[in-house]
Amino acid sequence: MSNAECRVTIPAFRLLSAFRMPHSASVCAVFVVAAQTIAAQTSLPPLPRLALDAFPPQARDALSRPYAQAGAHPDDADAVGALARTLHAWDQWSAAHETYLRAQALAPRAFEWLYLDGVALQRLARHADAAARFDEALRRTPDYLPARVKLAEALVAQPGVLRPPEDL
């Protein structure tokens, strides 16, 4: 084994760790991956806090299981995404958006969280943000026609982007 120096910077903690000791490059790589994982977990958007008692009984029943699953597995993109989709289905646009942000952070290459977040943002009348999400989603899945339609809708809905003729 050779002496090597591992230097890791974790922005969330502003921590710089440098040490010199006998270890292999693979041990250093494991340390770096672990440090990056910790940093990523600390910078994840939080899950929304839901007051389930405030929801009507049907909504409360529908939300309770995905909410519990996401709380039990906050680093599982599928569990978090299931909560986001359920919030979306119950027109809880703001909470759905917050949850989609976490799902996107957990699975940054996934198409569905970007697309569905764009839909939620559209419903919140945040058309420029929605257009950005649809554009990003289309970079991942360029042939998905509904995303193209939603992008066009979001662009048209932005003030000053496109205006219909006054004669119509």
Side-chain angles (χ1 to χ4, degrees):
M1 273 192 241
S2 65
N3 283 349
E5 182 176 312
C6 283
R7 184 173 294 274
V8 180
T9 303
I10 303 174
F13 298 118
R14 296 183 184 195
L15 170 71
L16 180 63
S17 175
F19 57 91
R20 196 179 278 274
M21 57 187 278
H23 54 279
S24 68
S26 61
V27 171
C28 186
V30 168
F31 178 73
V32 169
V33 169
Q36 289 172 338
T37 301
I38 291 167
Q41 289 174 349
T42 60
S43 63
L44 289 173
L47 287 170
R49 293 181 187 233
L50 302 178
L52 290 176
D53 293 340
F55 286 93
Q58 283 185 316
R60 185 174 41 245
D61 292 344
L63 287 166
S64 61
R65 184 173 177 175
Y67 186 56
Q69 286 293 319
H73 306 285
D75 295 332
D76 180 350
D78 291 330
V80 171
L83 173 61
R85 285 191 305 266
T86 306
L87 290 162
H88 189 133
W90 284 94
D91 297 342
Q92 301 299 306
W93 306 116
S94 185
H97 164 63
E98 292 173 33
T99 310
Y100 285 133
L101 288 177
R102 185 174 183 91
Q104 290 169 47
L106 291 169
R109 293 185 178 160
F111 164 84
E112 70 181 307
W113 311 134
L114 289 165
Y115 173 74
L116 292 171
D117 189 28
V119 173
L121 287 165
Q122 249 183 336
R123 297 305 291 252
L124 290 167
R126 293 177 50 188
H127 301 293
D129 293 333
R133 290 299 189 291
F134 294 134
D135 188 51
E136 186 68 26
L138 284 165
R139 285 193 209 130
R140 287 165 176 69
T141 307
D143 296 333
Y144 190 63
L145 186 57
R148 289 176 182 262
V149 171
K150 289 290 191 184
L151 174 59
E153 290 172 354
L155 291 172
V156 169
Q158 292 180 52
V161 174
L162 293 175
R163 297 193 181 214
E166 307 237 349
D167 301 352
L168 297 177

